Amino acid sequence: MAKPFGSPRPTTGSELAGAIVGPWADYARAAGLSVAIGVLLLAPSAFMFEVYGRVLNSRSHQTLAWLLVAAVGIYAVLELLELARSRVLRRAASLVSRKLAVRVFDASFGAGLRRHPGGSGQAPADLKAVTEFVHSPALTGLLDLPAALLVLALLYAMSAWVGALATVFVLVMLGIGLLQERLSSRPFGEAQRASLEAQLRAAGILRNAQVIESMGMGSALHRLWARSQATFMLRLAQASERAGASMAATRMVSVLQGSLLLGLAVWLAVRGELAGGGGMAIVASILGGRVAAPISQVVGQWRQIGAARAAYLRLAELLRTIPADEPGMPLPAPQGLLIADQIVARAPGGEQPILNGVSLGCRAGQLVAVIGPTGCGKSTLARVLVGIWPSEGGKVRLDGADVHAWHKSQLGPYVGYLPQGVELFDGTVAENIARFDTIRPERVRRAIEDAGIEALVASLPQGLETRIGDGGVQLSGGERQRIGLARAVYGEPRLVVLDEPNASLDEAGDLALAALLQRLKARGATVVVITHRTQLLTLAELVLVMKDGRTARFGPRDEVLAGSSASTTPRALPAGGRAGEASAPTEATR
């Protein structure tokens, strides 16, 4: 089926602007309807002219009746045209929303990964503000400007003086609008930013309500939220006060315009210099109001215009900063050869590198244990290995392909990742384990068995169909971690990265985790485990010791733990580790 408009991927110019102007045919229809509406809005003036001229002079009831019938018919057509224009603009807004919705969501998601401000969740609201502007009174006011110019031409046809006076009033109203924009745009933008900050603070407070309540942090955090909210209210009040003054001035100019135009038209009629005679004096006053109406309407919509402009600028910056992912060439399913060579990485937005020259490598079916002191970059390494964070130097390659450049829709099913802070989502246990994809019962059962959570699932009220709430609030920390572990091994992962997988596990959980790691290796998966517990080291063929974001030692387990100076480079991989118990960790592993 043909696309409603545009191309699936913009190539030049602003991506956001291209999407907004995409339904140009609908805008053209709306503009044509606006011209027709503007012409029909002359009907009241024409009706008045005919009544004061033809009807009063002829005293014909029949003429008056037919004029009324014609006027009612024109007014009905006018309302139908207004409805048609509204529907056309709403369709254009819907097309813009459909074209941008997925792109904006993906960009917001990508910004969240990069810790960019656009990842705050504001982007969908910004898209809503932009698309609502497409069918707002502000835009219809702009579309009415061509018809207003036509009316202005009619005033010039009556008298050059009348047309000139109407033009002066239009320019004055336009100047008031521009002055209002200049005076109110800055405080309104600051109000928008303070409002977003207050919303984010409130969301964070509510999300961590239990911790805040337990440690008595509520008053301090409330003061921070109140400060942001007060800034929002102050700046909004400043913007509203300035805009209110501009709107009052606009209303005064509109009233003054009607009286002055009427007075000038009567004076010209007395002198015999008004086309159409004295009956056109009142018509001139009414037409002058029609000329100024679109500008007055636009000025009256200052808040929506300001909000739409601020939302547009934020969205444009977000889409520019987070470009659309290229689909790339489909790659075959990975086998598990993992090479990380001289990785340099920093947190998104950070200045100092967290990783600076980290290297490791292993074959499919091997387990690498990563150890080191707190803060040495182990969790950052985990994020880089699965392609969440990019590397600024070096590459992480899985079967020779860069994991960061590998499209996640292709690579994701072959990767299992368990972060330290396990995030579950509002849904059933089965949906969380199946990664909210199509649930395959046999794969879910296998993941449950691998993670050793059969008893846990059986103890839940509805088993696999139990809803666990947002963030898994219905579960304990250990239960969330074990369900997260089942999610990580769901399907046929070829690369499994586990960051402190036993941090919240009891003795039974530790045994189940050890059995799981053995099974993953037996299936040929490449496993990277970040741990502080020595019992998992007995399962590792290779050990990476990190210190200060660097590779302190890397190689076969026994040699590294014995403190051997020999290390294995990523391209000279051992065939496998030796069985047996690991020796006590050296000082570098603590």
Side-chain angles (χ1 to χ4, degrees):
M1 186 174 66
K3 299 282 185 185
F5 66 88
S7 60
R9 188 177 301 279
T11 56
T12 60
S14 169
E15 181 179 358
L16 180 59
I20 292 175
V21 302
W24 58 269
D26 285 329
Y27 296 137
R29 293 188 191 97
L33 290 170
S34 296
V35 172
I37 290 169
V39 172
L40 291 181
L41 283 174
L42 299 176
S45 301
F47 178 77
M48 181 181 298
F49 178 76
E50 291 296 326
V51 167
Y52 280 105
R54 189 186 304 271
V55 175
L56 289 180
N57 290 332
S58 67
R59 299 182 182 275
S60 171
H61 295 84
Q62 185 177 11
T63 301
L64 178 60
W66 281 111
L67 285 175
L68 286 172
V69 170
V72 170
I74 290 174
Y75 298 156
V77 172
L78 182 62
E79 291 302 316
L80 290 175
L81 291 178
E82 289 273 13
L83 178 61
R85 180 173 67 174
S86 177
R87 296 181 70 173
V88 167
L89 289 176
R90 287 184 181 277
R91 182 174 64 184
S94 177
L95 291 173
V96 172
S97 179
R98 278 189 290 173
K99 184 172 181 65
L100 287 173
V102 174
R103 172 73 177 97
V104 168
F105 181 86
D106 290 344
S108 182
F109 182 82
L113 290 177
R114 294 165 173 79
R115 296 183 181 177
H116 185 274
S120 63
Q122 179 68 19
D126 286 341
L127 178 59
K128 183 173 181 289
V130 170
T131 54
E132 285 183 346
F133 179 79
V134 172
H135 59 85
S136 69
L139 183 61
T140 56
L142 294 174
L143 292 175
D144 285 336
L145 287 176
L149 294 177
L150 175 62
V151 175
L152 184 61
L154 291 178
L155 290 175
Y156 272 102
M158 292 180 188
S159 169
W161 289 107
V162 172
L165 183 60
T167 302
V168 169
F169 278 110
V170 168
L171 293 176
V172 169
M173 294 181 68
L174 183 60
I176 291 173
L178 294 175
L179 180 62
Q180 169 193 298
E181 171 66 14
R182 182 174 181 179
L183 293 177
S184 62
S185 61
R186 181 174 179 179
F188 186 73
E190 293 175 352
Q192 291 259 299
R193 288 190 292 272
S195 175
L196 177 59
E197 180 180 308
Q199 292 175 22
L200 293 176
R201 288 191 186 278
I205 291 172
L206 295 176
R207 187 170 56 249
N208 299 282
Q210 295 181 7
V211 174
I212 293 169
E213 179 68 15
S214 66
M215 294 189 287
M217 300 164 58
S219 298
L221 291 173
H222 182 271
R223 285 194 297 271
L224 291 176
W225 171 83
R227 190 181 307 160
S228 300
Q229 187 71 6
T231 302
F232 161 64
M233 297 301 297
L234 176 63
R235 295 292 182 263
L236 184 62
Q238 291 175 346
S240 298
E241 182 179 350
R242 295 174 183 180
S246 299
M247 292 172 66
T250 301
R251 286 193 296 269
M252 184 189 71
V253 171
S254 298
V255 173
L256 185 62
Q257 178 194 44
S259 299
L260 290 181
L261 277 176
L262 179 60
L264 177 62
V266 170
W267 182 74
L268 290 172
V270 171
R271 292 169 57 88
E273 298 178 8
L274 183 67
M280 295 300 291
I282 298 178
V283 174
S285 176
I286 296 174
L287 292 181
R290 291 303 314 154
V291 172
I295 297 177
S296 179
Q297 181 173 331
V298 172
V299 172
Q301 295 293 318
W302 72 271
R303 182 174 293 185
Q304 185 171 23
I305 293 174
R309 187 181 70 169
Y312 177 90
L313 292 176
R314 286 193 297 267
L315 279 181
E317 173 64 16
L318 173 65
L319 298 184
R320 184 191 65 80
T321 305
I322 313 295
D325 291 334
E326 296 291 340
M329 182 181 298
L331 297 173
Q335 298 302 308
L337 177 61
L338 178 67
I339 298 291
D341 188 14
Q342 295 296 313
I343 299 301
V344 178
R346 72 185 74 218
E351 296 182 359
Q352 297 298 323
I354 300 176
L355 302 180
N356 197 352
V358 176
S359 299
L360 64 88
C362 61
R363 296 189 178 93
Q366 291 185 325
L367 188 151
V368 179
V370 180
I371 57 179
T374 300
C376 68
K378 300 187 298 296
S379 294
T380 298
L381 176 62
R383 297 185 185 102
V384 175
L385 289 179
V386 297
I388 298 175
W389 287 4
S391 57
E392 297 186 2
K395 294 291 184 183
V396 177
R397 300 187 183 277
L398 186 62
D399 289 3
D402 184 354
V403 297
H404 184 71
W406 202 330
H407 201 281
K408 296 302 179 287
S409 63
Q410 301 173 17
L411 178 61
Y414 302 104
V415 172
Y417 175 51
L418 180 72
Q420 283 192 40
V422 179
E423 290 288 346
L424 300 180
F425 305 95
D426 187 16
T428 66
V429 174
E431 288 173 331
N432 274 273
I433 293 176
R435 308 182 182 187
F436 285 85
D437 201 350
T438 302
I439 296 177
R440 300 183 180 181
E442 68 283 358
R443 290 192 173 187
V444 172
R445 285 195 297 269
R446 180 176 173 180
I448 290 172
E449 293 172 358
D450 285 342
I453 60 172
E454 300 95 329
L456 168 60
V457 173
S459 68
L460 297 175
Q462 284 84 41
L464 284 171
E465 298 305 313
T466 301
R467 299 191 70 88
I468 60 177
D470 188 23
V473 295
Q474 306 296 331
L475 305 172
S476 69
E479 290 171 339
R480 286 196 295 271
Q481 189 163 41
R482 296 182 73 178
I483 290 178
L485 186 60
R487 179 181 62 189
V489 300
Y490 175 81
E492 297 292 339
R494 307 306 302 168
L495 171 62
V496 179
V497 179
L498 308 177
D499 191 353
E500 300 287 355
N502 51 359
S504 300
L505 300 184
D506 54 15
E507 184 178 354
D510 282 337
L511 293 175
L513 175 61
L516 167 62
L517 296 177
Q518 294 282 23
R519 283 194 292 270
L520 289 174
K521 294 199 304 178
R523 294 171 189 164
T526 301
V527 184
V528 179
V529 178
I530 296 170
T531 182
H532 281 99
R533 297 190 181 182
T534 58
Q535 56 265 40
L536 292 183
L537 299 182
T538 61
L539 305 174
E541 286 79 22
L542 302 166
V543 172
L544 169 66
V545 180
M546 293 183 60
K547 187 176 182 180
D548 298 328
R550 299 176 181 272
T551 299
R553 289 192 299 278
F554 172 69
R557 178 198 62 209
D558 294 342
E559 293 181 11
V560 170
L561 295 182
S564 171
S565 59
S567 65
T568 306
T569 65
R571 292 183 178 83
L573 303 176
R578 294 190 296 272
E581 295 293 323
S583 59
T586 65
E587 181 64 25
T589 69
R590 296 193 181 101

